Amino acid sequence: MFRAYDKEGDISYALGAFPTVELIKKRPEDIVAIALHSKFRMTDETASILDGIKDKVITSDRDVERVARKGNTFMVGAFRKRFRAFGRETHVALVRPSDAGNLGTIMRTMLGFGIRNLAVIGEAADVYDPRTVRASMGAIFSLNIALFGDWNEYAAAHTENKLLFMLDARSRSLSPEIRQASPFAAVFGNEGAGLPPELAECGTPVIIRHSKDIDSLNLPQAVAIGLYELTKPSFANG
Amino acid sequence: MFRAYDKEGDISYALGAFPTVELIKKRPEDIVAIALHSKFRMTDETASILDGIKDKVITSDRDVERVARKGNTFMVGAFRKRFRAFGRETHVALVRPSDAGNLGTIMRTMLGFGIRNLAVIGEAADVYDPRTVRASMGAIFSLNIALFGDWNEYAAAHTENKLLFMLDARSRSLSPEIRQASPFAAVFGNEGAGLPPELAECGTPVIIRHSKDIDSLNLPQAVAIGLYELTKPSFANG
């Protein structure tokens, strides 16, 4: 079952101890197998975590190497991909995100700000690419992820108040005043193209003001800033 | 002059048209040469930009390929690395940053929020690694970068009010209230270790509050959030 990752398949991989431990803790029901390399250094903590799923653990250098490719990965978790529709809940929506690493980074930031629902809309990077799983540092196992073919399909399913992060200067500035009551959706466009201007009518267009010396903030930075501002009241007292 | 990048050398490279054009616009005095691949697609705009430095432009597939390695880079700029001490000015200080890509992303975010001075302290990733230059999307050519061997050397040179981004829960929460009058320094620690707790006495310890589901925000995300909040009054009206 450990073979080169196939985007079309049902199985993906957590590469390395950190994301694999998150997989075991958060999504044990989706584990297919855990492969350990003979160079894996077992700690008491890892041993006790693995003890609960003993019959799924194998030691096989070849299986680890076939999936991980990089020389310093000694633990790999194979798991079933899971998509899960969510109801009327606060979420992040990404329109045509194109970079697997960015997707993972964004998932981790979402978890950091307590948002556990992610909608991915249109042609997009593979949310279960092992690079995404790795970049998320396991956060992916704490999220509900739903895919939508296009904006209309998404908008039909989700009528939450939408904050549309756009570069249009007529947008409202990101600030405490634009916070919405839950549930709301924070919507971000593609790395290169941003959100199409015509979406401005579908909610409240918001802009993160910055200097004219750059065209736009990088997507993961824009998401981080947006979620920080929008969720601040939830975390103000630690 | 186009050869595999050497960290110890005086020359680095801008890989690709976007960062190379920034090099030409912002640091023409530091250009050693610009190499074009025969597959480079010249636009009128690029032609006019290159016209000003004609005698430094060569067409050489081999030179481009020797430096760029990736197949889709058709323009490379070789430039002299430049470090430049700055005076009592608002800046970002990074203590032992370890990832070249993160450094570049942070440089771009700094430029986005109008902070053009960067102090890099202690053993750190190479600020002029071509991966840093690329990740900065050329923002590196708009910054003053100063290196310091350790914290004491930095602190002796820079007495600006310091906001120390730490994970210590006793820190003050990032919020509009902790903004400092210019000039100030926003100080961030290493990706893995954060800032050493004993630095808390050297300024105002600040924490970006987030959920307990992650250990910490990624460094480039933390910097983006910090700079957004600290510089907001400068950009509030676009």
mmCIF file of all heavy atoms in Angstrom, chain A residues 106-148:
data_model
loop_
_atom_site.group_PDB
_atom_site.id
_atom_site.type_symbol
_atom_site.label_atom_id
_atom_site.label_comp_id
_atom_site.label_asym_id
_atom_site.label_seq_id
_atom_site.Cartn_x
_atom_site.Cartn_y
_atom_site.Cartn_z
ATOM 1 N N ILE A 106 -1.826 27.454 5.064
ATOM 2 C CA ILE A 106 -3.112 28.089 5.378
ATOM 3 C C ILE A 106 -3.912 27.213 6.344
ATOM 4 O O ILE A 106 -4.544 27.709 7.281
ATOM 5 C CB ILE A 106 -3.888 28.374 4.074
ATOM 6 C CG1 ILE A 106 -3.209 29.514 3.314
ATOM 7 C CG2 ILE A 106 -5.359 28.693 4.354
ATOM 8 C CD1 ILE A 106 -3.682 29.685 1.872
ATOM 9 N N MET A 107 -3.886 25.899 6.145
ATOM 10 C CA MET A 107 -4.609 25.011 7.062
ATOM 11 C C MET A 107 -4.103 25.168 8.495
ATOM 12 O O MET A 107 -4.875 25.214 9.444
ATOM 13 C CB MET A 107 -4.430 23.556 6.613
ATOM 14 C CG MET A 107 -5.171 23.222 5.324
ATOM 15 S SD MET A 107 -4.763 21.516 4.803
ATOM 16 C CE MET A 107 -5.599 21.453 3.211
ATOM 17 N N ARG A 108 -2.779 25.256 8.622
ATOM 18 C CA ARG A 108 -2.213 25.407 9.967
ATOM 19 C C ARG A 108 -2.647 26.740 10.592
ATOM 20 O O ARG A 108 -2.993 26.800 11.770
ATOM 21 C CB ARG A 108 -0.693 25.320 9.897
ATOM 22 C CG ARG A 108 -0.042 25.407 11.262
ATOM 23 C CD ARG A 108 1.417 25.003 11.204
ATOM 24 N NE ARG A 108 2.133 25.404 12.402
ATOM 25 C CZ ARG A 108 2.117 24.729 13.529
ATOM 26 N NH1 ARG A 108 1.442 23.608 13.620
ATOM 27 N NH2 ARG A 108 2.776 25.163 14.591
ATOM 28 N N THR A 109 -2.627 27.801 9.799
ATOM 29 C CA THR A 109 -3.049 29.106 10.305
ATOM 30 C C THR A 109 -4.521 29.069 10.707
ATOM 31 O O THR A 109 -4.910 29.630 11.741
ATOM 32 C CB THR A 109 -2.804 30.190 9.238
ATOM 33 O OG1 THR A 109 -1.422 30.179 8.876
ATOM 34 C CG2 THR A 109 -3.177 31.562 9.755
ATOM 35 N N MET A 110 -5.357 28.411 9.892
ATOM 36 C CA MET A 110 -6.789 28.288 10.222
ATOM 37 C C MET A 110 -6.961 27.649 11.594
ATOM 38 O O MET A 110 -7.711 28.148 12.445
ATOM 39 C CB MET A 110 -7.502 27.426 9.180
ATOM 40 C CG MET A 110 -7.701 28.089 7.828
ATOM 41 S SD MET A 110 -8.424 26.916 6.626
ATOM 42 C CE MET A 110 -9.939 26.431 7.488
ATOM 43 N N LEU A 111 -6.269 26.533 11.811
ATOM 44 C CA LEU A 111 -6.377 25.847 13.094
ATOM 45 C C LEU A 111 -5.919 26.759 14.219
ATOM 46 O O LEU A 111 -6.517 26.790 15.303
ATOM 47 C CB LEU A 111 -5.552 24.553 13.048
ATOM 48 C CG LEU A 111 -5.723 23.601 14.215
ATOM 49 C CD1 LEU A 111 -7.172 23.156 14.373
ATOM 50 C CD2 LEU A 111 -4.810 22.377 14.041
ATOM 51 N N GLY A 112 -4.868 27.551 13.935
ATOM 52 C CA GLY A 112 -4.358 28.487 14.931
ATOM 53 C C GLY A 112 -5.395 29.527 15.335
ATOM 54 O O GLY A 112 -5.389 30.016 16.464
ATOM 55 N N PHE A 113 -6.288 29.859 14.423
ATOM 56 C CA PHE A 113 -7.309 30.852 14.743
ATOM 57 C C PHE A 113 -8.696 30.217 14.884
ATOM 58 O O PHE A 113 -9.725 30.885 14.778
ATOM 59 C CB PHE A 113 -7.283 32.001 13.734
ATOM 60 C CG PHE A 113 -6.043 32.856 13.883
ATOM 61 C CD1 PHE A 113 -5.088 32.934 12.891
ATOM 62 C CD2 PHE A 113 -5.821 33.564 15.062
ATOM 63 C CE1 PHE A 113 -3.938 33.701 13.044
ATOM 64 C CE2 PHE A 113 -4.677 34.337 15.233
ATOM 65 C CZ PHE A 113 -3.732 34.404 14.223
ATOM 66 N N GLY A 114 -8.707 28.906 15.106
ATOM 67 C CA GLY A 114 -9.946 28.242 15.509
ATOM 68 C C GLY A 114 -10.973 28.047 14.412
ATOM 69 O O GLY A 114 -12.156 27.862 14.707
ATOM 70 N N ILE A 115 -10.540 28.081 13.149
ATOM 71 C CA ILE A 115 -11.486 27.865 12.045
ATOM 72 C C ILE A 115 -11.209 26.496 11.449
ATOM 73 O O ILE A 115 -10.130 26.241 10.922
ATOM 74 C CB ILE A 115 -11.356 28.975 10.981
ATOM 75 C CG1 ILE A 115 -11.678 30.317 11.633
ATOM 76 C CG2 ILE A 115 -12.290 28.700 9.795
ATOM 77 C CD1 ILE A 115 -11.664 31.490 10.678
ATOM 78 N N ARG A 116 -12.205 25.606 11.544
ATOM 79 C CA ARG A 116 -11.960 24.205 11.211
ATOM 80 C C ARG A 116 -12.672 23.749 9.947
ATOM 81 O O ARG A 116 -12.733 22.554 9.671
ATOM 82 C CB ARG A 116 -12.394 23.324 12.388
ATOM 83 C CG ARG A 116 -11.462 23.471 13.583
ATOM 84 C CD ARG A 116 -12.044 22.832 14.826
ATOM 85 N NE ARG A 116 -11.084 22.858 15.915
ATOM 86 C CZ ARG A 116 -10.281 21.849 16.235
ATOM 87 N NH1 ARG A 116 -10.321 20.723 15.555
ATOM 88 N NH2 ARG A 116 -9.442 21.962 17.236
ATOM 89 N N ASN A 117 -13.196 24.692 9.191
ATOM 90 C CA ASN A 117 -13.909 24.333 7.960
ATOM 91 C C ASN A 117 -13.288 25.057 6.780
ATOM 92 O O ASN A 117 -13.114 26.272 6.809
ATOM 93 C CB ASN A 117 -15.386 24.716 8.082
ATOM 94 C CG ASN A 117 -16.045 24.015 9.254
ATOM 95 O OD1 ASN A 117 -16.180 22.796 9.266
ATOM 96 N ND2 ASN A 117 -16.420 24.785 10.273
ATOM 97 N N LEU A 118 -12.987 24.290 5.734
ATOM 98 C CA LEU A 118 -12.319 24.840 4.552
ATOM 99 C C LEU A 118 -13.072 24.421 3.301
ATOM 100 O O LEU A 118 -13.301 23.232 3.067
ATOM 101 C CB LEU A 118 -10.872 24.319 4.485
ATOM 102 C CG LEU A 118 -10.078 24.637 3.206
ATOM 103 C CD1 LEU A 118 -9.881 26.149 3.053
ATOM 104 C CD2 LEU A 118 -8.718 23.926 3.223
ATOM 105 N N ALA A 119 -13.446 25.408 2.502
ATOM 106 C CA ALA A 119 -14.040 25.150 1.187
ATOM 107 C C ALA A 119 -12.996 25.469 0.130
ATOM 108 O O ALA A 119 -12.379 26.528 0.165
ATOM 109 C CB ALA A 119 -15.269 26.037 0.986
ATOM 110 N N VAL A 120 -12.793 24.551 -0.800
ATOM 111 C CA VAL A 120 -11.859 24.786 -1.909
ATOM 112 C C VAL A 120 -12.672 24.760 -3.190
ATOM 113 O O VAL A 120 -13.383 23.783 -3.475
ATOM 114 C CB VAL A 120 -10.742 23.726 -1.924
ATOM 115 C CG1 VAL A 120 -9.827 23.929 -3.125
ATOM 116 C CG2 VAL A 120 -9.939 23.788 -0.621
ATOM 117 N N ILE A 121 -12.567 25.832 -3.955
ATOM 118 C CA ILE A 121 -13.499 26.079 -5.061
ATOM 119 C C ILE A 121 -12.768 26.122 -6.393
ATOM 120 O O ILE A 121 -11.782 26.850 -6.539
ATOM 121 C CB ILE A 121 -14.228 27.424 -4.820
ATOM 122 C CG1 ILE A 121 -14.981 27.364 -3.479
ATOM 123 C CG2 ILE A 121 -15.180 27.743 -5.970
ATOM 124 C CD1 ILE A 121 -15.374 28.722 -2.946
ATOM 125 N N GLY A 122 -13.258 25.362 -7.358
ATOM 126 C CA GLY A 122 -12.694 25.398 -8.711
ATOM 127 C C GLY A 122 -11.435 24.554 -8.831
ATOM 128 O O GLY A 122 -11.047 23.836 -7.908
ATOM 129 N N GLU A 123 -10.793 24.680 -9.987
ATOM 130 C CA GLU A 123 -9.562 23.924 -10.235
ATOM 131 C C GLU A 123 -8.498 24.398 -9.239
ATOM 132 O O GLU A 123 -8.242 25.588 -9.134
ATOM 133 C CB GLU A 123 -9.105 24.209 -11.664
ATOM 134 C CG GLU A 123 -8.080 23.241 -12.194
ATOM 135 C CD GLU A 123 -7.603 23.666 -13.576
ATOM 136 O OE1 GLU A 123 -8.384 24.352 -14.273
ATOM 137 O OE2 GLU A 123 -6.478 23.324 -13.929
ATOM 138 N N ALA A 124 -7.905 23.466 -8.528
ATOM 139 C CA ALA A 124 -7.045 23.878 -7.418
ATOM 140 C C ALA A 124 -5.945 22.860 -7.191
ATOM 141 O O ALA A 124 -6.001 21.732 -7.689
ATOM 142 C CB ALA A 124 -7.881 24.021 -6.144
ATOM 143 N N ALA A 125 -4.936 23.265 -6.430
ATOM 144 C CA ALA A 125 -3.918 22.314 -5.991
ATOM 145 C C ALA A 125 -4.614 21.213 -5.185
ATOM 146 O O ALA A 125 -5.698 21.411 -4.632
ATOM 147 C CB ALA A 125 -2.870 23.025 -5.142
ATOM 148 N N ASP A 126 -3.982 20.070 -5.134
ATOM 149 C CA ASP A 126 -4.514 18.883 -4.463
ATOM 150 C C ASP A 126 -4.415 19.064 -2.946
ATOM 151 O O ASP A 126 -3.322 19.138 -2.397
ATOM 152 C CB ASP A 126 -3.671 17.687 -4.930
ATOM 153 C CG ASP A 126 -4.030 16.404 -4.215
ATOM 154 O OD1 ASP A 126 -5.059 16.350 -3.528
ATOM 155 O OD2 ASP A 126 -3.244 15.439 -4.367
ATOM 156 N N VAL A 127 -5.561 19.127 -2.275
ATOM 157 C CA VAL A 127 -5.526 19.371 -0.829
ATOM 158 C C VAL A 127 -4.908 18.210 -0.058
ATOM 159 O O VAL A 127 -4.489 18.382 1.088
ATOM 160 C CB VAL A 127 -6.923 19.671 -0.239
ATOM 161 C CG1 VAL A 127 -7.473 20.965 -0.805
ATOM 162 C CG2 VAL A 127 -7.889 18.538 -0.450
ATOM 163 N N TYR A 128 -4.850 17.035 -0.640
ATOM 164 C CA TYR A 128 -4.235 15.896 0.053
ATOM 165 C C TYR A 128 -2.870 15.522 -0.515
ATOM 166 O O TYR A 128 -2.355 14.440 -0.228
ATOM 167 C CB TYR A 128 -5.192 14.698 0.082
ATOM 168 C CG TYR A 128 -6.182 14.801 1.211
ATOM 169 C CD1 TYR A 128 -7.548 14.974 0.977
ATOM 170 C CD2 TYR A 128 -5.761 14.755 2.524
ATOM 171 C CE1 TYR A 128 -8.450 15.082 2.020
ATOM 172 C CE2 TYR A 128 -6.653 14.870 3.581
ATOM 173 C CZ TYR A 128 -7.992 15.032 3.325
ATOM 174 O OH TYR A 128 -8.882 15.149 4.368
ATOM 175 N N ASP A 129 -2.284 16.394 -1.326
ATOM 176 C CA ASP A 129 -0.891 16.184 -1.733
ATOM 177 C C ASP A 129 -0.037 16.022 -0.465
ATOM 178 O O ASP A 129 -0.204 16.789 0.486
ATOM 179 C CB ASP A 129 -0.431 17.421 -2.528
ATOM 180 C CG ASP A 129 0.932 17.232 -3.173
ATOM 181 O OD1 ASP A 129 1.897 16.887 -2.456
ATOM 182 O OD2 ASP A 129 1.050 17.438 -4.387
ATOM 183 N N PRO A 130 0.858 15.036 -0.420
ATOM 184 C CA PRO A 130 1.698 14.903 0.781
ATOM 185 C C PRO A 130 2.448 16.185 1.151
ATOM 186 O O PRO A 130 2.727 16.413 2.331
ATOM 187 C CB PRO A 130 2.673 13.772 0.390
ATOM 188 C CG PRO A 130 1.889 12.932 -0.578
ATOM 189 C CD PRO A 130 1.063 13.920 -1.371
ATOM 190 N N ARG A 131 2.746 17.039 0.156
ATOM 191 C CA ARG A 131 3.392 18.323 0.485
ATOM 192 C C ARG A 131 2.452 19.232 1.270
ATOM 193 O O ARG A 131 2.869 20.011 2.121
ATOM 194 C CB ARG A 131 3.838 19.035 -0.795
ATOM 195 C CG ARG A 131 5.019 18.376 -1.484
ATOM 196 C CD ARG A 131 5.286 19.032 -2.824
ATOM 197 N NE ARG A 131 4.149 18.852 -3.724
ATOM 198 C CZ ARG A 131 4.001 19.466 -4.893
ATOM 199 N NH1 ARG A 131 4.908 20.333 -5.300
ATOM 200 N NH2 ARG A 131 2.946 19.236 -5.659
ATOM 201 N N THR A 132 1.151 19.142 0.945
ATOM 202 C CA THR A 132 0.167 19.916 1.698
ATOM 203 C C THR A 132 0.063 19.394 3.127
ATOM 204 O O THR A 132 0.066 20.164 4.093
ATOM 205 C CB THR A 132 -1.224 19.808 1.027
ATOM 206 O OG1 THR A 132 -1.101 20.139 -0.351
ATOM 207 C CG2 THR A 132 -2.223 20.733 1.696
ATOM 208 N N VAL A 133 -0.019 18.069 3.242
ATOM 209 C CA VAL A 133 -0.119 17.447 4.562
ATOM 210 C C VAL A 133 1.075 17.854 5.419
ATOM 211 O O VAL A 133 0.937 18.230 6.587
ATOM 212 C CB VAL A 133 -0.190 15.908 4.434
ATOM 213 C CG1 VAL A 133 -0.250 15.254 5.805
ATOM 214 C CG2 VAL A 133 -1.388 15.494 3.570
ATOM 215 N N ARG A 134 2.271 17.812 4.789
ATOM 216 C CA ARG A 134 3.482 18.156 5.531
ATOM 217 C C ARG A 134 3.478 19.624 5.937
ATOM 218 O O ARG A 134 3.772 19.966 7.081
ATOM 219 C CB ARG A 134 4.721 17.843 4.681
ATOM 220 C CG ARG A 134 6.012 17.862 5.480
ATOM 221 C CD ARG A 134 7.249 18.079 4.620
ATOM 222 N NE ARG A 134 7.745 16.910 3.935
ATOM 223 C CZ ARG A 134 8.731 16.118 4.393
ATOM 224 N NH1 ARG A 134 9.290 16.352 5.549
ATOM 225 N NH2 ARG A 134 9.142 15.101 3.668
ATOM 226 N N ALA A 135 3.149 20.503 4.975
ATOM 227 C CA ALA A 135 3.160 21.942 5.272
ATOM 228 C C ALA A 135 2.118 22.290 6.333
ATOM 229 O O ALA A 135 2.294 23.237 7.092
ATOM 230 C CB ALA A 135 2.915 22.757 4.006
ATOM 231 N N SER A 136 1.045 21.513 6.403
ATOM 232 C CA SER A 136 0.012 21.789 7.418
ATOM 233 C C SER A 136 0.467 21.350 8.804
ATOM 234 O O SER A 136 -0.181 21.648 9.797
ATOM 235 C CB SER A 136 -1.298 21.070 7.064
ATOM 236 O OG SER A 136 -1.316 19.732 7.543
ATOM 237 N N MET A 137 1.581 20.616 8.880
ATOM 238 C CA MET A 137 2.078 20.048 10.123
ATOM 239 C C MET A 137 0.981 19.261 10.849
ATOM 240 O O MET A 137 0.877 19.290 12.072
ATOM 241 C CB MET A 137 2.668 21.132 11.016
ATOM 242 C CG MET A 137 3.911 21.771 10.362
ATOM 243 S SD MET A 137 4.639 23.102 11.318
ATOM 244 C CE MET A 137 5.420 22.185 12.652
ATOM 245 N N GLY A 138 0.179 18.588 10.051
ATOM 246 C CA GLY A 138 -0.869 17.747 10.620
ATOM 247 C C GLY A 138 -2.189 18.465 10.865
ATOM 248 O O GLY A 138 -3.184 17.835 11.221
ATOM 249 N N ALA A 139 -2.216 19.785 10.685
ATOM 250 C CA ALA A 139 -3.462 20.520 10.911
ATOM 251 C C ALA A 139 -4.585 19.983 10.024
ATOM 252 O O ALA A 139 -5.764 20.034 10.379
ATOM 253 C CB ALA A 139 -3.261 22.018 10.653
ATOM 254 N N ILE A 140 -4.238 19.463 8.867
ATOM 255 C CA ILE A 140 -5.234 18.945 7.928
ATOM 256 C C ILE A 140 -6.143 17.913 8.588
ATOM 257 O O ILE A 140 -7.306 17.780 8.222
ATOM 258 C CB ILE A 140 -4.522 18.358 6.680
ATOM 259 C CG1 ILE A 140 -5.511 18.109 5.535
ATOM 260 C CG2 ILE A 140 -3.727 17.094 7.021
ATOM 261 C CD1 ILE A 140 -4.823 17.791 4.202
ATOM 262 N N PHE A 141 -5.619 17.185 9.581
ATOM 263 C CA PHE A 141 -6.416 16.137 10.228
ATOM 264 C C PHE A 141 -7.430 16.695 11.232
ATOM 265 O O PHE A 141 -8.221 15.957 11.803
ATOM 266 C CB PHE A 141 -5.494 15.113 10.902
ATOM 267 C CG PHE A 141 -4.540 14.480 9.934
ATOM 268 C CD1 PHE A 141 -3.172 14.619 10.087
ATOM 269 C CD2 PHE A 141 -5.019 13.760 8.851
ATOM 270 C CE1 PHE A 141 -2.295 14.051 9.183
ATOM 271 C CE2 PHE A 141 -4.147 13.189 7.935
ATOM 272 C CZ PHE A 141 -2.779 13.332 8.100
ATOM 273 N N SER A 142 -7.381 18.000 11.451
ATOM 274 C CA SER A 142 -8.351 18.625 12.351
ATOM 275 C C SER A 142 -9.393 19.442 11.594
ATOM 276 O O SER A 142 -10.215 20.115 12.204
ATOM 277 C CB SER A 142 -7.625 19.554 13.339
ATOM 278 O OG SER A 142 -6.777 18.804 14.184
ATOM 279 N N LEU A 143 -9.343 19.399 10.259
ATOM 280 C CA LEU A 143 -10.248 20.242 9.466
ATOM 281 C C LEU A 143 -11.283 19.418 8.711
ATOM 282 O O LEU A 143 -11.027 18.281 8.324
ATOM 283 C CB LEU A 143 -9.436 21.042 8.435
ATOM 284 C CG LEU A 143 -8.323 21.954 8.934
ATOM 285 C CD1 LEU A 143 -7.718 22.716 7.751
ATOM 286 C CD2 LEU A 143 -8.816 22.932 9.983
ATOM 287 N N ASN A 144 -12.432 20.036 8.490
ATOM 288 C CA ASN A 144 -13.384 19.530 7.502
ATOM 289 C C ASN A 144 -13.074 20.231 6.183
ATOM 290 O O ASN A 144 -13.029 21.459 6.134
ATOM 291 C CB ASN A 144 -14.816 19.876 7.895
ATOM 292 C CG ASN A 144 -15.190 19.274 9.223
ATOM 293 O OD1 ASN A 144 -14.891 18.110 9.491
ATOM 294 N ND2 ASN A 144 -15.815 20.074 10.082
ATOM 295 N N ILE A 145 -12.892 19.442 5.138
ATOM 296 C CA ILE A 145 -12.557 20.026 3.837
ATOM 297 C C ILE A 145 -13.629 19.620 2.836
ATOM 298 O O ILE A 145 -13.943 18.435 2.699
ATOM 299 C CB ILE A 145 -11.188 19.528 3.350
ATOM 300 C CG1 ILE A 145 -10.110 19.895 4.376
ATOM 301 C CG2 ILE A 145 -10.853 20.121 1.974
ATOM 302 C CD1 ILE A 145 -8.740 19.315 4.064
ATOM 303 N N ALA A 146 -14.194 20.611 2.164
ATOM 304 C CA ALA A 146 -15.210 20.344 1.138
ATOM 305 C C ALA A 146 -14.754 20.961 -0.173
ATOM 306 O O ALA A 146 -14.233 22.078 -0.192
ATOM 307 C CB ALA A 146 -16.548 20.941 1.561
ATOM 308 N N LEU A 147 -14.920 20.224 -1.253
ATOM 309 C CA LEU A 147 -14.544 20.729 -2.582
ATOM 310 C C LEU A 147 -15.794 21.132 -3.355
ATOM 311 O O LEU A 147 -16.829 20.461 -3.266
ATOM 312 C CB LEU A 147 -13.807 19.637 -3.381
ATOM 313 C CG LEU A 147 -12.553 19.032 -2.768
ATOM 314 C CD1 LEU A 147 -11.916 18.047 -3.757
ATOM 315 C CD2 LEU A 147 -11.545 20.107 -2.379
ATOM 316 N N PHE A 148 -15.690 22.213 -4.109
ATOM 317 C CA PHE A 148 -16.795 22.668 -4.955
ATOM 318 C C PHE A 148 -16.263 22.899 -6.368
ATOM 319 O O PHE A 148 -15.192 23.483 -6.532
ATOM 320 C CB PHE A 148 -17.398 23.957 -4.399
ATOM 321 C CG PHE A 148 -17.980 23.778 -3.023
ATOM 322 C CD1 PHE A 148 -17.196 23.981 -1.893
ATOM 323 C CD2 PHE A 148 -19.285 23.344 -2.862
ATOM 324 C CE1 PHE A 148 -17.727 23.786 -0.623
ATOM 325 C CE2 PHE A 148 -19.818 23.144 -1.589
ATOM 326 C CZ PHE A 148 -19.032 23.357 -0.472
#
